[in-house]
Amino acid sequence: MKAIVYRSTGSWYIVKDESGKIFNARLKGLFKIDEITSTNPLAVGDVVDIEMENETEGSVTITKIHDRRNYINRQSPKAKYQHHIIAANLDQSFMVATLRDPKTSQGFIDRFLVASEMYHVPPVIIFNKADIYKKKELEKFEEWKHMYEQVGYPIVLTSVKDNTGIDEVKELLKNKITLISGHSGVGKSSLLNVLIPELNIKTQDVSDWSGKGMHTTTFAEMFDIPGGGKIIDTPGMREFGLVDISKQELSHYFPEMRDRLNNCQFNNCLHINEPGCAIKEAVADGEITEDRYVSYYNILESIAEKKY
Ligand SMILES: Nc1nc2c(ncn2[C@@H]2O[C@H](COP(=O)(O)OP(=O)(O)OP(=O)(O)O)[C@@H](O)[C@H]2O)c(=O)[nH]1
Ligand SMILES: [Mg+2]
Ligand SMILES: [Zn+2]
C-alpha cells in the first residue's frame, strides 16, 4: 500500500494512504537514503510503502521509501555539518515575509531564493500583514516587487486580517505541493487557517507578541487544501543556513548573474575585483540591482571554503 508522510515527530510518523485513511507509522530496519548524512531519514512529503502492523490501533510499518523528486535541506541547528530534511517532493516553496512586526531582511529572502535555486523548487515571496503597512512599508514593498519580478520571482502582498491577496494565493496553491517557510511570527499558520477554515492550527497569541518570535509551530506538517493541493506548515526559522554550497557556484543561483557569467574574462571569476567582470559591469549599468549584488557579496563572505 502506498502512502504519503504528513507529519514526522522523530521515531513516529503520520501517513495517509491513497484512499485518505490516516495511520501511525514507524520505520522498519535501516534505510539509507540519497547518500546524504541527515539527522532524519524520512520527511514530510515522502512517498512510502506501508504494511498493516496492528489493525485495531491503526498502526503500520513503513517498508519502502520511494525515490525523491527533490527535497529541502537545512543545516541542523545542533550540528553544523549535519543536515535536516524539512520536506520532500515539492512543487514550490513560499517564503512568508513581513515588513513590520517582525521585519524580514533582504538577506534572509535572498538566502531563501538561493536555496530554492539549488534545490530546483520554484519560490514565491509572500509579504503578509499588509493591513499594518504604512506609506514607508508600502513603498518598500513596491521597490522589492519591482526588483524581484525583474529577476523572475513572483511576489504577492497579503493580509490574513483583511483578506488582501488571499484569492491570489489560493490560485497559486491549486493542485500543488507547497512548502511554507519564514521567520517566526510572520503569519504562516494564520495563512493556513484562512486557506483551510476547518483547520484551526495554533497561532501566536496577539498578547504574547513580543517581536522576539515565540515559535508556536514546532514541527513540519502537511495539510490537504480543499479543492486540491497540499501545503506544509513549518516552524519559524531565525537564519537560513545554506548547506553544501561553494563560493564558485554561488553566482549560478542568482538568475540575473547566471545569464551573464560567460561574459566574465576569467571563468573562475567571483565577481569581486577581478578585471573584465561582466557582473560588476552590469551592476554599474544598473542592469543588476545593487542590493542583490550586496546580498551576493554577503553570502559569499559567509561561505567557509571547504578544507580537504
Ligand atoms: N496584523 C496582522 N497580524 C497578523 C496577520 N497574519 C498573522 N498575524 C498575527 O501574527 C501573529 C503570528 O502569527 P502565526 O500564524 O502564529 O505566525 P507563524 O509564522 O506561524 O509563527 P511560528 O509558528 O512561530 O513560526 C499572530 O498573532 C497573528 O494573529 C496579518 O495579516 N495582519
Ligand atoms: Mg506557525
Ligand atoms: Zn565576474
Side-chain angles (χ1 to χ4, degrees), residues 17-204:
D17 74 5
E18 283 165 324
S19 71
K21 272 210 220 71
I22 293 167
F23 301 98
N24 279 313
R26 61 193 184 97
L27 272 174
K28 194 180 169 183
L30 282 173
F31 285 86
K32 198 175 157 79
I33 303 165
D34 295 351
E35 304 289 323
I36 50 169
T37 347
S38 105
T39 50
N40 56 329
L42 252 190
V44 171
D46 262 322
V47 179
V48 295
D49 284 346
I50 53 171
E51 259 169 31
M52 192 55 72
E53 188 175 291
N54 186 321
E55 193 118 22
T56 46
E57 283 176 14
S59 61
V60 298
T61 311
I62 295 166
T63 55
K64 183 191 157 128
I65 303 166
H66 290 245
D67 287 343
R68 291 180 177 137
R69 194 148 52 89
N70 59 28
Y71 60 86
I72 288 209
N73 229 353
R74 277 177 205 159
Q75 213 166 58
S76 160
K78 291 181 201 114
K80 207 171 171 201
Y81 295 102
Q82 284 243 300
H83 304 175
H84 186 81
I85 301 167
I86 302 296
N89 303 317
L90 304 166
D91 291 312
Q92 60 185 356
S93 146
F94 281 13
M95 152 71 58
V96 180
T98 42
L99 289 161
R100 272 191 70 174
D101 302 345
K103 190 171 189 287
T104 309
S105 72
Q106 196 201 324
F108 186 76
I109 295 171
D110 286 333
R111 280 174 169 268
F112 159 78
L113 294 171
V114 166
S116 305
E117 295 287 337
M118 282 176 78
Y119 296 123
H120 305 288
V121 178
V124 175
I125 312 162
I126 310 265
F127 276 96
N128 189 37
K129 306 201 184 183
D131 56 293
I132 56 166
Y133 293 0
K134 303 228 165 62
K135 189 162 170 277
K136 188 180 82 181
E137 285 88 15
L138 288 170
E139 280 171 6
K140 192 79 204 167
F141 171 76
E142 287 304 325
E143 185 194 321
W144 281 2
K145 185 175 158 74
H146 179 75
M147 175 173 75
Y148 286 118
E149 282 181 346
Q150 206 176 17
V151 184
Y153 296 125
I155 289 225
V156 187
L157 183 67
T158 64
S159 163
V160 171
K161 286 275 143 74
D162 67 15
N163 258 3
T164 303
I166 299 301
D167 285 341
E168 201 178 333
V169 171
K170 279 185 181 160
E171 206 49 50
L172 287 166
L173 291 168
K174 216 167 244 172
N175 298 324
K176 290 191 171 150
I177 302 181
T178 305
L179 178 82
I180 295 214
S181 50
H183 284 311
S184 184
V186 293
K188 297 181 292 299
S189 299
S190 306
L191 188 63
L192 258 74
N193 282 338
V194 276
L195 296 167
I196 315 172
E198 67 272 23
L199 208 56
N200 237 324
I201 319 176
K202 194 168 181 290
T203 59
Q204 255 169 45

Side-chain angles (χ1 to χ4, degrees), residues 106 143 146-148 150-151 256-257 282-283 286-295:
Q106 196 201 324
E143 185 194 321
H146 179 75
M147 175 173 75
Y148 286 118
Q150 206 176 17
V151 184
E256 69 270 56
M257 296 188 183
V283 175
E287 286 165 17
I288 290 179
T289 316
E290 214 169 304
D291 286 347
R292 283 276 290 171
Y293 179 77
V294 170
S295 271

